[in-house]
Amino acid sequence: MKKLSIILGIVMATAISGCTEADFSENYANPSKVSTATVEKQFAGMLVTNKDYVLPAYWNYFVVLRPTLSHYTQAVGWINTSNQYVPGEAAIGPRWGNYYDFLAQYRELEKIYNNLTPEEQADLKVYMLTAKIYLYDHTQRVVDLHGDIPFSEAGRLSQNGGDYLASLPAYDTAESIYTTMLDDLKSFSDELNSINVSTGIMVGFQTQDFVNGGDVSAWKKYCNSLRLRMLTRVSGSSEFQSRASSEIAAILANPGQYPVVEENSENIQIDVVSLDTPINSKGWDGNLAGKAMIDHMLDNTDPRIRAMYEPGENAGGTYSGLDPLLDENDQTTLVATGTLSRYNRSTLSRNEYFPGLLFTAAEVSLLKAEYYLNASNDAMAQASYEDAIEKSTEFYYDLRDLSADGTAIDLVPTNDTEIQAYIDSADVNWDNATTDDEKLSLIATQKWIHFSVLQLPDSWAEQRRLNLPEFDFQVDNANEQTLPPSRWIYPNSERVYNTDNYNTVSSEDNLTTKLFW
């Protein structure tokens, strides 16, 4: 059945009495079979619904990301083909459908919560605050792919008593969705500072929340880090410029009130605790290395290279990436030689304990660096930029420590001297950049490397926003779309099933329409 924006998701939830590794599988194995929903169960079900778009999974990587965003960001090397810059329905449709499944699960949570007494609602408020933070994280990603989307009226088939026609949702503008999310997240950040969760409710929350384990302080950091990301994303828009500047300044000036993710130990992620549960990382592959990233790492002796990549089996221990400007035949011949590097399988694709990443300390430091650069605080910008490199390097080595896979050779540890040498290298050194534009390019390059194949929607959004790093692509002159697109189009299901509402945005539904930010 086609997925569309009115879809009513199955209530995916479980009754859970504990969260040890031994009983995790039983508790989370098949949440859709629970017939009686509660706020607690529905909260867990909502988190489960989009897990395969957070934890590495076969479909998301191979069908959605590999032929689209991984190419547009040059996070990988690939063989050029005709019509390669047009994202297909196989990628767009399922991701769109999963988001609206996920949104429908949140609407069901709202419905259950709204039917409680005021006293019960007060007791369970922590579930609603954190659910909406998580919802907004993933809503931003969908908005950043498509622009205007159905949102405020979407996913309400159950709330509307099954009335299909009344549930066909109008499209909200991307700007209005960002405004709503930023307004709410600011309110949530204040509310989380004063929320009082009873002991009994906290026990249940710690069990159902497999993102932050019921840690309210982690949700505060997630909320404010997400605000920082969203505010930065819209900071170049005239409608949001003043707000972004003032609110980022308020967040960074008051870490006690508005804490953000500062250390890798605080990263917001879904951890894999047992391979015997659906919460795992299986069936993905980083594939070939791209020339731009490998060349940068080699030229500046980036210590992350051996944690992120493996030399080709016939490369004699040297790293090399696939050039996107070669023609298809030359690329195919080169791939067959076995000399090209690939993403490190033991760190990434065969690391079954690889977490589902939501926010890392390195990203926060890079967001800080951009803000301080724009605020003419060069010293703080440099400090944040260099801190991001240190955090990113630590992050990739930590990922390898999680792995039980021995496919790649043992990883030689890095050290402070090696990291500092990279920071001081010609193309990385802050002092070598003499203009703000050059410094912004340094920040953008580090975002690109850190995100790599792990946070592709964020990487593509930042590259479109900043037009950095600058990449060369083979021009596809045989097709109308000659270079990577500016946005994804809407899935066919919207044209067919939500026709009247789709027609209000159809004039903008092309690959060249730029998002407002």
Side-chain angles (χ1 to χ4, degrees), residues 57-73:
Y58 175 88
W59 184 272
N60 186 36
Y61 185 77
F62 280 95
V63 180
V64 179
L65 298 175
R66 185 173 174 179
T68 59
L69 305 192
S70 67
H71 293 183
Y72 309 159
T73 61

Side-chain angles (χ1 to χ4, degrees), residues 43-54:
F43 175 85
M46 174 192 166
L47 300 183
V48 168
T49 304
N50 80 329
K51 69 179 180 62
D52 288 340
Y53 289 82
V54 181

Side-chain angles (χ1 to χ4, degrees), residues 103-417:
L103 179 57
Q105 295 292 339
Y106 174 76
R107 299 299 186 206
E108 193 68 16
L109 176 62
E110 279 187 324
K111 178 182 175 182
I112 296 166
Y113 182 79
N114 290 339
N115 285 331
L116 300 177
T117 66
E119 293 76 16
E120 290 170 327
Q121 288 181 350
D123 285 343
L124 296 169
K125 187 63 178 293
V126 68
Y127 283 99
M128 301 307 296
L129 292 174
T130 55
K132 209 157 192 178
I133 292 167
Y134 188 75
L135 171 68
Y136 283 171
D137 187 354
H138 298 284
T139 298
Q140 181 196 25
R141 296 169 197 270
V142 177
V143 170
D144 290 350
L145 288 172
H146 297 276
D148 301 348
I149 63 169
F151 181 65
S152 60
E153 298 177 12
R156 297 189 183 275
L157 184 59
S158 175
Q159 293 183 0
N160 293 336
D163 187 333
Y164 175 87
L165 293 178
S167 302
L168 291 170
Y171 280 68
D172 298 81
T173 66
E175 295 93 328
S176 69
I177 297 172
Y178 260 90
T179 298
T180 295
M181 294 193 296
L182 287 171
D183 288 348
D184 284 352
L185 288 171
K186 185 177 186 301
S187 173
F188 298 162
S189 66
D190 291 327
E191 194 164 356
L192 285 171
N193 281 327
S194 59
I195 195 168
N196 182 22
V197 184
S198 69
T199 302
I201 296 298
M202 180 56 73
V203 170
F205 185 51
Q206 290 170 340
T207 299
Q208 305 289 2
D209 171 21
F210 58 79
V211 174
N212 286 316
D215 185 345
V216 175
S217 66
W219 281 102
K220 292 179 188 178
K221 293 169 186 174
Y222 188 7
C223 180
N224 290 302
S225 299
L226 185 57
R227 290 177 64 203
L228 191 59
R229 178 195 285 161
M230 289 186 181
L231 289 163
T232 302
R233 190 69 46 81
V234 300
S235 60
S237 167
S238 59
E239 182 178 344
F240 290 92
Q241 194 168 35
S242 176
R243 174 177 188 168
S245 178
S246 64
E247 290 193 16
I248 292 174
I251 292 169
L252 299 186
N254 196 344
Q257 184 174 358
Y258 302 121
V260 295
V261 175
E262 300 279 6
E263 305 291 339
N264 281 318
S265 60
E266 301 171 346
N267 288 348
I268 308 300
Q269 59 191 38
I270 298 175
D271 290 321
V272 176
V273 299
S274 171
L275 301 182
D276 297 325
T277 80
I279 309 300
N280 58 55
S281 299
K282 297 179 181 178
W284 68 301
D285 191 348
N287 211 6
L288 292 174
K291 178 177 172 58
M293 192 173 293
I294 289 292
D295 285 356
H296 170 89
M297 289 182 151
L298 288 175
D299 290 346
N300 299 283
T301 319
D302 191 331
R304 289 171 290 192
I305 194 168
R306 59 183 180 269
M308 293 174 66
Y309 293 102
E310 298 175 55
E313 59 184 9
N314 299 324
T318 62
Y319 295 94
S320 62
L322 185 60
D323 189 344
L325 299 183
L326 294 176
D327 66 35
E328 181 180 351
N329 290 334
D330 290 341
Q331 287 179 319
T332 301
T333 299
L334 184 57
V335 169
T337 65
T339 59
L340 293 172
S341 301
R342 66 182 299 161
Y343 272 90
N344 192 302
R345 288 166 290 179
S346 294
T347 303
L348 302 176
S349 64
R350 297 189 182 179
N351 182 355
E352 294 182 310
Y353 291 91
F354 195 97
L357 297 174
L358 295 164
F359 234 106
T360 65
E363 180 184 356
V364 170
S365 291
L366 289 166
L367 293 169
K368 289 181 181 180
E370 183 177 341
Y371 166 76
Y372 287 127
L373 177 65
N374 291 332
S376 300
N377 190 336
D378 191 75
M380 287 296 292
Q382 179 177 358
S384 298
Y385 166 76
E386 294 178 355
D387 180 69
I389 294 172
E390 294 170 2
K391 293 293 195 311
S392 179
T393 305
E394 178 186 67
F395 167 76
Y396 276 98
Y397 280 80
D398 286 348
L399 288 177
R400 181 58 173 272
D401 288 342
L402 291 174
S403 179
D405 179 79
T407 303
I409 63 173
D410 290 343
L411 188 58
V412 177
T414 187
N415 54 59
D416 293 343
T417 300

Side-chain angles (χ1 to χ4, degrees), residues 2-7 53 59-60 64 89-104 141-143 145-151 154 169-172 177 487-495 497-498 502 505 509:
K2 293 285 186 181
K3 301 287 188 182
L4 64 159
S5 53
I6 65 163
I7 190 162
Y53 289 82
W59 184 272
N60 186 36
V64 179
E89 178 68 19
I92 293 172
R95 199 191 194 292
W96 179 273
N98 179 266
Y99 170 74
Y100 285 101
D101 277 341
F102 170 65
L103 179 57
R141 296 169 197 270
V142 177
V143 170
L145 288 172
H146 297 276
D148 301 348
I149 63 169
F151 181 65
Y171 280 68
D172 298 81
I177 297 172
R487 63 178 286 274
W488 280 8
I489 59 175
Y490 298 114
N492 291 332
S493 58
E494 286 295 290
R495 300 177 185 86
Y497 298 107
N498 195 21
Y502 168 76
V505 296
D509 189 23

